[in-house]
Amino acid sequence: MIAVASDHGGLDLKNAVIESLRGQKIACTDFGTDAHASVDYPDFAEKVARAVTSGEVKAGILICGTGIGMSIAANKIPGIRAALVHDEFTAQMAAEHNNANILILGGRVLSPEQGARLVDVWLTSRYEGGRHQQRLDKITNLE
Ligand code: RB5
């Protein structure tokens, strides 16, 4: 199960991402927001991040206007490796090198098609482990 959430700046892309996931029969749950009214992105980042670290969901996707605010907020939660990605290469590396458990997208940066594509790349890429694990361990130690 993947938790997906956005603020108002990411709402349209969130809806496109959920439609794409459901079209592929990939289980996901919508953590809001549900309207274009202005909301505070840290509230949604926290909900998804805590669902990931508790094991309620296996991964999360967060979307705000740029992706920057969601990224800053989600990475405050111990155990979260949230990666803001802009293209297929960074989406692939987020999985292969960083083992990102949350993918972050910018709703005012990407088209719906681009955003859905980056989600697919992240979900189909596999963490390589090996030399990357010692680096992730050092990040854990920073917490
Ligand atoms: C909201 O206007 C905007 O600041 C937010 O979506 C995000 O881009 C913050 O980083």
Side-chain angles (χ1 to χ4, degrees):
M1 180 65 72
I2 298 170
V4 189
S6 74
D7 72 353
H8 52 290
L11 177 60
D12 293 339
L13 181 54
K14 182 194 69 156
N15 289 336
V17 164
I18 288 174
E19 188 181 334
S20 170
L21 290 172
R22 290 188 175 151
Q24 299 176 75
K25 309 272 187 260
I26 297 170
C28 63
T29 178
D30 186 347
F31 277 38
T33 188
D34 303 318
H36 285 102
S38 183
V39 293
D40 296 334
Y41 57 80
D43 298 335
F44 296 88
E46 182 181 12
K47 277 185 201 160
V48 168
R50 296 213 186 277
V52 170
T53 56
S54 72
E56 179 187 341
V57 298
K58 74 167 188 186
I61 298 169
L62 288 168
I63 308 168
C64 61
T66 59
I68 296 170
M70 285 291 197
S71 179
I72 293 169
N75 279 307
K76 296 290 184 191
I77 306 296
I80 290 301
R81 294 177 303 281
L84 172 57
V85 303
H86 293 104
D87 50 33
E88 292 191 22
F89 177 71
T90 51
Q92 181 182 341
M93 289 302 106
E96 291 184 357
H97 287 193
N98 308 110
N99 199 18
N101 48 16
I102 294 181
L103 189 77
I104 314 257
L105 303 171
R108 294 173 179 153
V109 179
L110 301 166
S111 71
E113 295 76 19
Q114 287 172 323
R117 174 69 188 143
L118 300 192
V119 169
D120 289 347
V121 169
W122 174 60
L123 288 176
T124 55
S125 299
R126 287 286 156 264
Y127 177 50
E128 291 176 353
R131 70 187 187 281
H132 302 295
Q133 189 55 49
Q134 71 200 42
R135 296 159 187 168
L136 298 193
D137 290 343
K138 287 186 177 184
I139 292 173
T140 301
N141 288 341
L142 295 175
E143 296 174 347

